[in-house]
Amino acid sequence: MAVRTMGSESARTPQPQAALATGGSGLLPEGMLTARLGPQGKHYVCGSLAAFTNILVTFPIQKVLFRQQLHGVIATEAVQQLQRDGLRNLYRGLLPPLLQKSTTVAIMFGLYEDFSRVLLDLAGGSGVPEIVTRSFAAALAGTTEAILTPFERVQTLLQDHRHHGRFNNTGHTFRTLMSEYGIRECYRGLVPILLRNGPSNVLFFGFRGPIKEQLPEASSRAGHLISDFVCGGLLGAGLGIMFYPLNVVKSRAQSQVGGEFQSCSKVFLTVWRERGGSLLMLFRGAQLNYYRSLISWGIINATYEFLLKLL
C-alpha cells in the first residue's frame, strides 16, 4: 500500500459538523472561533492547549524519568528521591515545561502547517514530491522550537535536587543564569536538542497519517478520540526510545552550571564511561520514558485533533 504524504491529520477526519454535531447543530457557532483566530491560527491554539493538558497530567512521571536520566538509578530509587524531597517539591519546576511545552507544541503544529503551505506554493509545478516538501517543513518547525531551549535548561536545574538550595523558582533561576553567566548559559545543551527536534518532527508528521490508516475506521466522536490517542501514543513512544540517548546527554549537559561548554560527543562519552560502557545502563529509564511518551503524545495528538474539530 502506498504511504500517504505528510498532510495534516485534520484534513483526513470528518468536518466538525459531521463528527461533533447531531441534527445539523454544531457544538460551537459555526466558524466563530476560526474567524477570530484566522485559518492557520487555530493550529497554534490547539497545539498549545493540548500540550498544557498533557504537562499537568504527566509531570510527576517526567520527574522520575529525569532522575533516572541524570543519575542512572532504577525507577524505585528515583521515586524514593522524590519522596525524600517531599510533596511540596513534587511540582517544583512545573512552570518552565508548562510554558516551554505549550509554546513548542504550538510551534510544532502551527509552523508545520505554515511552512508546508508556503513551501508547497513555492514548489508548485517543480516536480518535487510533496512528502519531501512536507518533511522539510517539519524539520524547519522542529529546528525553530530550539529557540525555547532556556525553558528546558531551567526545568533541568529546578528538578535536580543538587540545585535545590541555589535556585528558588523559575524567575530566580533565569535571573541568576543571566546575571552571573549571560545568555549563553541559558542555551547549554542546545546541540542535542537540535539533533532531536528536527528528525523527530519529520518522523512524527510523516507517519501520523499512515499509522492511523492501519487502525479500525472510527465512526463516532469517541472512536476518533481513541484512534488519535493510539496513533499519537505509538509514535511518541517509538520516537522517545529512538532519541532517548540524546535526552540523556541533554540532561547531563544542562545539569552543569558554569564552566566549560562540552561538546555533545564528549558528554556522551563521559556518561558512557560512568555507566560502565553498558547500553542497558545508558537506556536506564527508557522503559518509563516509553510509557510516559505513550501517554503524553496520546493526550497531545487526541486533544489537538479534538480541539481542531471544535474550531
Side-chain angles (χ1 to χ4, degrees):
M1 182 182 70
V3 176
R4 277 195 181 181
T5 55
M6 297 169 62
S8 168
E9 191 62 37
S10 59
R12 293 188 292 273
T13 54
Q15 293 303 307
Q17 296 94 320
L20 300 175
T22 57
S25 173
L27 292 179
L28 293 172
E30 184 177 352
M32 182 185 71
L33 290 178
T34 301
R36 291 191 177 190
L37 295 171
Q40 301 303 321
K42 62 182 180 180
H43 294 285
Y44 293 92
V45 173
C46 292
S48 181
L49 292 175
F52 187 91
T53 303
N54 163 62
I55 289 296
L56 289 180
V57 173
T58 64
F59 186 74
I61 303 176
Q62 172 58 34
K63 290 203 76 167
V64 173
L65 175 62
F66 169 77
R67 295 292 175 88
Q68 290 191 273
Q69 290 176 340
L70 188 60
H71 303 300
V73 298
I74 60 176
T76 52
E77 171 59 25
V79 171
Q80 288 170 1
Q81 286 184 11
L82 294 181
Q83 288 176 333
R84 289 193 293 270
D85 290 344
L87 187 61
R88 65 186 299 270
N89 284 316
L90 180 61
Y91 274 86
R92 176 183 166 90
L94 173 66
L95 186 57
L98 205 59
L99 296 174
Q100 183 258 345
K101 201 67 177 177
S102 296
T103 308
T104 56
V105 175
I107 290 174
M108 174 183 171
F109 284 104
L111 282 187
Y112 169 69
E113 294 292 336
D114 285 342
F115 282 140
S116 293
R117 188 180 69 260
V118 172
L119 293 175
L120 287 171
D121 286 343
L122 292 175
S126 66
V128 178
E130 183 178 341
I131 190 171
V132 173
T133 304
R134 288 190 178 274
S135 294
F136 189 50
L140 283 175
T143 302
T144 305
E145 291 174 42
I147 63 175
L148 298 172
T149 293
F151 286 112
E152 290 196 51
R153 171 75 163 125
V154 170
Q155 177 188 355
T156 297
L157 294 176
L158 289 176
Q159 288 184 348
D160 188 348
H161 67 280
R162 295 173 301 180
H163 297 298
H164 279 184
R166 182 175 185 184
F167 301 112
N168 299 329
N169 50 46
T170 300
H172 179 256
T173 307
F174 269 124
R175 288 193 300 271
T176 302
L177 292 178
M178 290 293 291
S179 62
E180 296 185 10
Y181 303 99
I183 185 65
R184 186 166 180 257
E185 185 69 29
C186 294
Y187 280 87
R188 190 182 289 269
L190 175 63
V191 173
I193 289 175
L194 286 171
L195 293 174
R196 176 197 69 191
N197 283 9
S200 64
N201 261 22
V202 172
L203 294 172
F204 180 83
F205 286 112
F207 285 99
R208 199 162 59 125
I211 287 178
K212 189 170 182 180
E213 285 183 344
Q214 304 304 313
L215 300 175
E217 186 175 354
S219 58
S220 65
R221 190 192 316 171
H224 281 290
L225 203 61
I226 293 171
S227 183
D228 288 325
F229 180 91
V230 172
C231 173
L234 290 176
L235 259 176
L239 294 175
I241 292 294
M242 185 181 301
F243 293 97
Y244 190 79
L246 282 174
N247 281 324
V248 172
V249 171
K250 177 194 76 74
S251 294
R252 172 55 67 88
Q254 291 187 333
S255 67
Q256 178 184 342
V257 180
E260 178 190 0
F261 273 68
Q262 298 182 334
S263 67
C264 189
S265 58
K266 187 173 181 179
V267 176
F268 174 81
L269 289 175
T270 300
V271 174
W272 180 257
R273 285 193 296 267
E274 287 179 355
R275 302 189 183 183
S278 168
L279 197 62
L280 185 63
M281 288 294 291
L282 180 65
F283 276 85
R284 176 65 61 82
Q287 184 178 17
L288 180 60
N289 183 68
Y290 177 88
Y291 293 117
R292 182 195 66 85
S293 297
L294 187 72
I295 297 169
S296 293
W297 282 101
I299 291 173
I300 288 173
N301 196 52
T303 306
Y304 171 79
E305 290 294 342
F306 178 74
L307 292 173
L308 205 58
K309 294 181 181 73
L310 290 183
L311 298 182

